[in-house]
Amino acid sequence: MRILGLSFDYHDAAAALIVDGVPVAAAQEERFTRVKHDRRLPENAARWCLERAGLSAGDLDAAVFYEKPFRKFSRILAGCLGTFPSSAGLFRRATAAWVDERLWVGPRIERAFGLTQDKVLFCEHHLSHAAAAFYCAPFDEAAVLTIDGVGEWATAAVGRGRRGQDGGWDLSLDAEMRYPHSLGLLYSAFTAYLGFEVNEGEYKVMGLAPYGRPRFADQIRAMVRPFEDGSFRLDLDWFVFQSDPTRAFARRFEEAFGPARAPEAGDPAADPRLCDVAASIQLVCEEMVLALAREAHRRTGSRHLCLSGGVALNAVANARVLRETPFERVWIQPAAGDAGSALGAALYAAHALGRPKRYEMKRVDLGPEHSPAAAVEAFRRAGLAHEEIGDESKLCGRVAGMLAEGKVVGWHQGRSEWGPRALGHRSILADPRPAAMKDTVNEKIKFRELFRPFAPSALGRLAGEWFDLGGSPAPDPYRFMLATAPVRADRRGRLGAVTHVDGSARVQTVFPDQDPLYHRLIESFGAATGVPVVLNTSFNLKGEPIVETPEDAVATFLASGMDALVVGTFLVPNRNAAAAPRRKVWAVSAKQSDAWAW
Amino acid sequence: MNKTTDSGALARVRRRFAEAVRAGARVQAAVLLTAVYFLVLGPAALLTRLLGVDLLCRRRAAKTGWTERAPRDPRELLRSQG
């Protein structure tokens, strides 16, 4: 059975193709269009998925959209009714967008891919999240918890996946929390208050939090009325996202926490008050995630938890779920946000319509790969001299040596990763030892805020010696850089560039079965320096999508201060005569006008 | 040469006309939707409040934020958009 999953119209449009229950291709539209968070119908991504599998749209058994558009529109109308007469602006903008295109998802998919109406299906938003986690996890039975901003009505859901009587695997959601009572929207309101872009800047809030003290936590807890079962109700007097199309928080926010930071103004880490607000919302978010996870355990009694939804990208909260809940194993979908729902919707349909074999996601390189000829052509166009190093161990040795010398290297290998994390296929790599490397990469390479931390990639078998991963083998989420861990106190001096101010790091454990080349590179760096860890950050500049093609990689290399570039077996050892870093003009961000759930 | 200049000028006129039409459509849509908001949603909002319908789950008496879901057939669930 061949099923195409699609998510679009809100943010992070994506397509995923499942053949007989196994994902063969998945990619976000932004990687093709170079529009960050591109939300348009992912025609490029979908056509590439089909091409990769050697299929045409006519070969599909179904195309599945990741949510129920009519139900979502009913929620928006109900929200407008519930907040009348202050929702006139929201009604005007939302209704125009919905009548113009969002209500016609089915016909648009039919038209784009030449499908008949009966082949276009619709999964529920949180069921798509749940399926993206459970149907990729290594469990026959698990509790499932999804938490995000909002889908149709649901903002969080709890359920269970298990083996059915007929030998297949069944997934159901037993209960849901409903809009406007949303942990994701609460966190996003603070993201906006702190001057970051909603649906993009949540990572920055998480990164800013360790600079502060959670002295506002009690005030934030007062905004949230928690129940004993982990659920909660927001005090809506603090928010306006339910009636205002452009704003999330009410004036009371500024009375309680001081003036909001203007978007992208100044260095927030230099303002202790803003750091304290970030620390406070992060702490409350962790507490709420823990309460929801404990409720999932109480309801199911399961030893396993599958976690998904945008909030499941909060690596600090995830670390606490690993350590402080009764679950023995936790599995988190690497593309936990809405993009991952394209995969989830397709997997849900695959298991609902047939009984495919079980799939376990061990690696995330589901995106496009590019030929050596494409790399050579990109170098030629840019006038970059390069050398080919066919022997992988020589290539890794050479690059490890460059990293050890303090050079920053762009690393473009094989198929691109599924999800927001670069895990060694589209990465910028550097030496994790000198603390100054963090500022160098932030300032000169990625042109981003200095307070933001970098993640380490560590050899899986040795990672426990450097990081307190809470058990051996390391919990699954570390494979995909989905949780933080304390850097061992006696090692912090040797990991200055990847140890955050609170002594933590969002570590990725790398195993040979997952990525042999990247594993070998880290091994080579370890042999050269005694530190089996490299600094790994996504191969992009601030505000741009991660690079996809060799051409993108070359453009980003030239636009940044990177010292060297590797594409496949080709090494560009220096910038040659290339000019100083120059900004590109082609990468743009999608409009965030609909960030508030309409 | 003249032909190119003419077609360039025509294209500019066409673009400006299209922009003007779009701007007009935006104003028209805004006026219409505002009218719908106050004339249709207004009475409906009043009615829901009179009937005590709690659209945004604001009631303080609630003991839980969870809404239990009834089991549904997965195949049926996939068919509907609502």
Side-chain angles (χ1 to χ4, degrees):
Chain A
M1 193 167 271
R2 298 141 173 180
I3 299 177
L4 181 68
L6 297 164
S7 64
F8 59 93
D9 269 358
Y10 184 40
H11 53 85
D12 296 325
L17 182 65
I18 309 292
V19 176
D20 297 330
V22 176
V24 294
Q28 267 182 252
E29 185 70 358
E30 67 169 27
R31 303 288 179 96
F32 299 87
T33 61
R34 312 307 302 159
V35 177
K36 182 91 169 162
H37 301 304
D38 198 340
R39 63 179 175 80
R40 293 169 292 184
L41 196 152
E43 287 194 62
N44 296 290
R47 293 197 192 290
W48 169 78
C49 286
L50 291 166
E51 197 180 296
R52 169 85 195 179
L55 301 175
S56 68
D59 298 320
L60 290 172
D61 293 290
V64 193
F65 187 60
Y66 81 123
E67 62 183 13
K68 304 272 193 189
F70 292 177
R71 202 183 299 176
K72 187 167 190 165
F73 190 50
S74 76
R75 186 257 298 164
I76 291 163
L77 289 180
C80 290
L81 273 180
T83 54
F84 187 91
S86 55
S87 53
L90 171 65
F91 178 79
R92 263 199 318 270
R93 288 177 68 163
T95 308
W98 277 81
V99 171
D100 189 32
E101 59 176 9
R102 296 185 188 181
L103 279 173
W104 323 114
V105 166
R108 285 161 64 203
I109 294 174
E110 291 164 29
R111 218 170 28 242
F113 302 108
L115 298 173
T116 52
Q117 193 181 354
D118 61 313
K119 285 195 173 180
V120 180
L121 306 174
F122 300 86
C123 191
E124 290 177 340
H125 186 106
H126 277 259
L127 210 42
S128 297
H129 278 313
F134 177 66
Y135 288 128
C136 294
F139 310 136
D140 274 348
E141 181 280 329
V144 180
L145 175 63
T146 62
I147 317 169
D148 73 356
V150 62
E152 296 92 1
W153 274 96
T155 61
V158 61
R160 176 183 281 211
R162 60 188 138 189
R163 191 155 198 158
Q165 289 175 339
D166 61 356
W169 283 268
D170 296 327
L171 172 64
S172 62
L173 295 177
D174 304 325
E176 64 187 31
M177 283 179 45
R178 292 191 162 191
Y179 180 86
H181 306 288
S182 162
L183 176 51
L185 290 178
L186 171 70
Y187 202 89
S188 290
F190 278 93
T191 302
Y193 170 84
L194 290 167
F196 301 121
E197 196 177 303
V198 172
N199 292 328
E200 162 70 17
E202 283 77 3
Y203 301 121
K204 299 182 189 178
V205 177
M206 192 174 69
L208 185 62
Y211 290 92
R213 288 180 301 111
R215 67 181 163 104
F216 297 111
D218 282 340
Q219 278 160 282
I220 298 175
R221 288 186 191 107
M223 294 178 183
V224 179
R225 197 172 126 232
F227 298 107
E228 283 183 5
D229 58 9
S231 63
F232 59 88
R233 289 275 167 91
L234 294 181
D235 179 348
L236 296 179
D237 293 342
W238 289 88
F239 306 95
V240 292
F241 61 74
Q242 64 278 24
S243 60
D244 190 322
T246 57
R247 196 176 155 88
F249 53 89
R251 300 268 173 242
R252 284 183 70 179
F253 252 66
E254 297 191 278
E255 287 161 20
F257 308 118
R261 176 174 171 257
E264 305 298 333
D267 176 11
D271 185 337
R273 179 181 61 85
L274 295 177
C275 297
D276 292 347
V277 172
S280 305
I281 181 59
Q282 176 61 32
L283 177 66
V284 174
C285 171
E286 291 163 26
E287 292 169 355
M288 292 166 80
V289 170
L290 284 173
L292 289 166
R294 288 182 184 128
E295 172 65 7
H297 184 266
R298 191 194 65 76
R299 281 174 175 262
T300 61
S302 177
R303 294 182 295 128
H304 307 135
L305 174 67
C306 293
L307 195 55
S308 191
V311 175
L313 291 170
N314 191 310
V316 182
N318 292 346
R320 292 192 64 183
V321 170
L322 290 176
R323 285 157 201 268
E324 298 177 38
T325 62
F327 293 106
E328 290 172 21
R329 281 183 80 182
V330 177
W331 200 88
I332 304 167
Q333 165 58 233
D338 281 0
S341 296
L343 179 67
L347 281 166
Y348 184 81
H351 284 266
L353 302 177
R355 282 306 194 195
K357 62 190 173 191
R358 196 78 166 94
Y359 162 74
E360 182 186 336
M361 183 177 269
K362 288 185 172 168
R363 29 193 309 162
V364 291
D365 51 341
L366 293 170
E369 63 185 335
H370 305 275
S371 68
V376 171
E377 176 59 16
F379 298 145
R380 189 193 63 74
R381 277 197 209 166
L384 286 173
H386 62 277
E387 46 190 287
E388 184 168 13
I389 306 175
D391 183 319
E392 281 187 356
S393 60
K394 278 190 187 155
L395 177 70
C396 290
R398 182 87 179 271
V399 174
M402 296 173 99
L403 294 173
E405 288 166 15
K407 291 188 173 166
V408 180
V409 180
W411 181 254
H412 181 287
Q413 296 291 343
R415 299 181 69 178
S416 56
E417 299 93 339
W418 173 238
R421 301 274 83 85
L423 299 174
H425 289 234
R426 301 288 185 275
S427 293
I428 294 173
L429 307 176
D431 188 342
R433 294 172 298 166
M437 185 58 81
K438 180 185 149 206
D439 289 349
T440 302
V441 180
N442 265 332
E443 198 170 19
K444 295 181 183 162
I445 311 294
K446 298 199 67 162
F447 309 113
R448 68 180 206 183
E449 301 89 342
L450 289 178
F451 72 86
R452 294 177 64 185
F454 287 107
S457 295
L459 281 191
R461 67 186 152 80
L462 300 176
E465 295 175 16
W466 295 79
F467 306 94
D468 178 4
L469 300 173
S472 181
D476 301 295
Y478 289 112
R479 279 184 171 243
F480 305 115
M481 209 188 270
L482 289 164
T484 57
V487 180
R488 292 199 182 278
D490 58 333
R491 305 284 186 163
R492 287 178 190 173
R494 298 179 74 191
L495 292 175
V498 292
T499 303
H500 204 13
V501 288
D502 61 349
S504 71
R506 192 178 61 193
V507 61
Q508 175 198 3
T509 54
V510 181
F511 293 89
D513 66 325
Q514 173 189 6
D515 195 332
L517 181 65
Y518 193 41
H519 184 269
R520 182 175 280 185
L521 173 65
I522 302 170
E523 210 165 37
S524 301
F525 183 78
T529 63
V531 179
V533 178
V534 297
L535 180 156
N536 171 13
T537 183
S538 54
F539 199 154
N540 63 336
L541 306 185
K542 183 189 175 192
E544 296 181 356
I546 296 176
V547 302
E548 178 49 61
T549 64
E551 200 178 352
D552 300 338
V554 165
T556 299
F557 172 66
L558 292 175
S560 75
M562 269 181 271
D563 300 296
L565 172 66
V566 179
V567 180
T569 54
F570 299 105
L571 171 68
V572 178
N574 53 55
R575 307 179 63 82
N576 312 131
R582 51 179 188 265
R583 295 287 292 170
K584 289 172 287 186
V585 294
W586 45 260
V588 292
S589 267
K591 285 183 185 168
Q592 290 295 305
S593 60
D594 57 347
W596 295 109
W598 53 268
Chain B
M1 194 67 165
N2 276 343
K3 203 173 171 184
T4 312
T5 313
D6 287 352
S7 65
L10 268 176
R12 268 200 304 280
V13 170
R14 198 179 301 125
R15 201 168 50 240
R16 296 227 170 110
F17 180 70
E19 279 166 13
V21 168
R22 270 197 294 273
R26 272 198 298 273
V27 172
Q28 197 178 25
V31 170
L32 262 173
L33 288 170
T34 304
V36 170
Y37 180 74
F38 286 103
L39 298 177
V40 179
L41 257 73
L46 192 65
L47 194 63
T48 54
R49 274 170 216 182
L50 285 173
L51 294 173
V53 180
D54 184 19
L55 287 164
L56 297 179
C57 307
R58 285 172 181 267
R59 273 200 198 105
R60 295 217 159 251
K63 290 198 170 71
T64 179
W66 293 111
T67 301
E68 298 300 319
R69 289 165 51 104
R72 291 181 67 179
D73 177 63
R75 285 168 179 257
E76 283 305 309
L77 191 127
L78 285 167
R79 294 276 162 213
S80 104
Q81 295 194 50

